[in-house]
Every structure is written in structure tokens, then in C-alpha cells.
Amino acid sequence: MAGSLGLCGQQPYTDFELSLEQVSHSFGKRRVLTSVSAAVRAGQVMVVTGPNGSGKSTLIKIAARLIRPASGRVVWRAGGRELGMDAAKGVVGLVSPELTLYDELTAIENLLFFARVRGWSGHGLVRWRGLAGAEDVAAGGGARARARAILEQVGLEGRGDDLVGTYSSGMKQRLKYAFALMHSPALLLLDEPTANLDEAGTEIVRRIIAEARGSACVVVATNEPEEVTWGDAVIRLGGVA
Ligand SMILES: Nc1ncnc2c1ncn2[C@@H]1O[C@H](COP(=O)(O)OP(=O)(O)OP(=O)(O)O)[C@@H](O)[C@H]1O
Ligand SMILES: [Mg+2]
């Protein structure tokens, strides 16, 4: 494993900022989040910690705009303006236990499929032009080269043509990082970042976060004491942590 992960300098929002403004959420009658306010800028890491069931994963999904909070606001800002939902595919890189990739496709096929879904939506395409040239992208060549390079970065070199259904749980976790990093996201959301990873895998995550500090906002949801120390700011949910 060598070289840069390509997080820095390729995504268009170098001044991206995430703000949570008095975010509250309930599922039915169960109140999960109460007036959470926080902000994280490009170059910073925010950690969300708290006991099981305290709302960490829910807050990650709200930050990703996968869930709309019952009250309060999630604001993405860059270039002096608020970004709308149309920016979502280009902005977010997500690693989560709830994320599933297609078992019946190879790792490369998964990455190309999601690149296509993202790349045909504005910023993603601009970014791909910067990386590989528009024609390459249209032909899938640039995205394929990028997928292979990223797989190498996460220690899956030589396994890109295997079906994901044949992957071990740690390999699937590594593949989620490839999925999250393919498009050089401005907002990297990591829920249980080192789940199923061995020490070498954990070291890759540390390296990804160190590199992300060059240009991206990172939000980490965790209960691991070491990972809590990664944060420039820490949100403690549920009153315990
Ligand atoms: N889709 C849902 N429908 C109903 N309740 C939900 C849903 N998602 C989460 N909850 C509830 O919201 C609360 C917070 O869940 P969440 O997954 O955000 O916690 P967490 O802090 O990530 O926990 P863990 O440490 O176990 O991952 C829990 O009580 C959970 O049961
Ligand atoms: Mg969780």
C-alpha cells in the first residue's frame, strides 16, 4: 500500500462546513436526540459518542441527510452558500454497519455501479473530469482505474474481481472505505469506523482520517476510547460516555 488516497485537492468543496442546529429527533414516542448543536469545518474531526441506543447512528444519518430531523436544521455550506439536497451524492462518503454492498457483484462492479450513480449528478462528474478526463469516465476507464487504486489503498489489491459475497467481514468493512472514498467526499461520515478490522485495517482508518484532515469534514460515531481521542470536538449523547 503506497501513495495518496486522493482525498485532498480533488473535491470541489475545500471550505465545506457541516452545522447541526438544535437537532432533535424521535422515533414514534421515543425521543432519541434533544437539541444537538455542533459544527465541523473541512480539516476537522467531530466525534459522536454515547451508550448503545443513544442516537449516534441516527445523528450520522441526519448529518448525511438520509433522515430529516423532527426539528432543527442540518446545514451544509461551501463557497459562501448553503448546499441543497442536489449536492448530496457528491458530498457524502459514508461508512456504516447499516450500509450493504451487492454480494452478487464483484468489488470493482460495486464501485463502478456507485460511481455511475454518483458521477451522473453534477459535482461528481466535474470531479471525475478532474481525475480522469470526461471520455474515460463515460467509458468507465477512469472510474475503473480509480476503483483499483482505492482497493489497493485499503489492502484489497488482487481481490477486486471477487464477488463481495465471498468477502470476510473485515474485507467488507475495507470495501466500504473504498466505496466512501471513491468520489473524494467533502463530508466523510464514519459510523463504527473500525468494526471488524484488524490492526492493519485500523491503521488504514487512522491514515484515511489523517489524510481527510487535509480537506474534508469527518464525523466519527464510536464507543472506542481511542477513537474518541481522534476528535477536535466531541458530542456526548445520552449523558454518559
Ligand atoms: N428506524 C428506526 N425506527 C425506530 N426506532 C429506531 C430506528 N432507528 C433507531 N431507532 C431507535 O433510536 C435509538 C437510537 O438508535 P441508534 O441506532 O441511533 O443508536 P446508537 O447510539 O447508534 O447505538 P449503538 O451504539 O448500539 O450503535 C434506539 O432506541 C433505537 O431503537
Ligand atoms: Mg449505532
Side-chain angles (χ1 to χ4, degrees):
M1 190 189 65
S4 160
L5 290 160
L7 272 168
C8 305
Q10 286 165 352
Q11 52 97 354
Y13 304 121
T14 50
D15 60 347
F16 185 88
E17 184 175 347
L18 162 72
S19 302
L20 305 171
E21 298 177 357
Q22 299 193 319
V23 167
S24 297
H25 197 63
S26 304
F27 290 106
K29 289 186 179 156
R30 176 170 290 114
R31 171 58 69 101
V32 177
L33 297 167
T34 305
S35 200
V36 177
S37 294
V40 57
R41 301 194 302 278
Q44 294 182 322
V45 178
M46 182 161 76
V47 166
V48 183
T49 192
N52 294 148
S54 59
K56 301 181 295 296
S57 298
T58 303
L59 194 60
I60 290 278
K61 283 181 241 175
I62 286 172
R65 291 181 157 174
L66 293 170
I67 297 180
R68 188 194 295 264
S71 66
R73 265 175 28 105
V74 177
V75 181
W76 293 349
R77 269 190 209 94
R81 66 185 176 92
E82 276 190 31
L83 303 180
M85 279 302 288
D86 54 331
K89 283 184 205 155
V91 162
V92 174
L94 175 67
V95 171
S96 157
E98 293 167 51
L99 176 70
T100 46
L101 299 168
Y102 292 108
D103 275 353
E104 62 274 25
L105 299 182
T106 68
I108 292 279
E109 286 167 348
N110 266 284
L111 295 178
L112 292 181
F113 172 75
F114 288 110
R116 191 167 276 258
V117 169
R118 286 165 170 154
W120 262 240
S121 72
H123 288 301
L125 189 56
V126 170
R127 213 169 296 142
W128 283 117
R129 275 199 189 106
L131 274 176
E135 286 170 13
D136 272 1
V137 170
R144 189 175 295 273
R146 170 81 169 158
R148 292 220 180 266
I150 295 240
L151 286 178
E152 190 183 329
Q153 297 292 338
V154 299
L156 292 174
E157 60 275 9
R159 302 301 299 265
D161 296 320
D162 292 356
L163 295 181
V164 169
T166 68
Y167 270 27
S168 71
S169 52
M171 288 168 66
K172 283 184 179 170
Q173 180 73 355
R174 288 169 183 235
L175 181 58
K176 288 180 187 179
Y177 278 90
F179 162 78
L181 296 175
M182 272 283 282
H183 58 308
S184 305
L187 177 61
L188 186 57
L189 301 171
L190 307 177
D191 192 1
E192 302 183 18
T194 59
N196 299 312
L197 291 180
D198 57 15
E199 182 48 35
T202 301
E203 186 52 35
I204 290 171
V205 174
R206 288 190 199 104
R207 194 166 153 249
I208 287 168
I209 290 175
E211 190 167 331
R213 280 185 187 276
S215 63
C217 283
V218 184
V219 182
V220 173
T222 184
N223 273 320
E224 296 292 328
E226 184 209 313
E227 293 165 14
V228 174
T229 69
W230 295 347
D232 299 299
V234 179
I235 299 177
R236 294 178 193 275
L237 299 177
V240 189

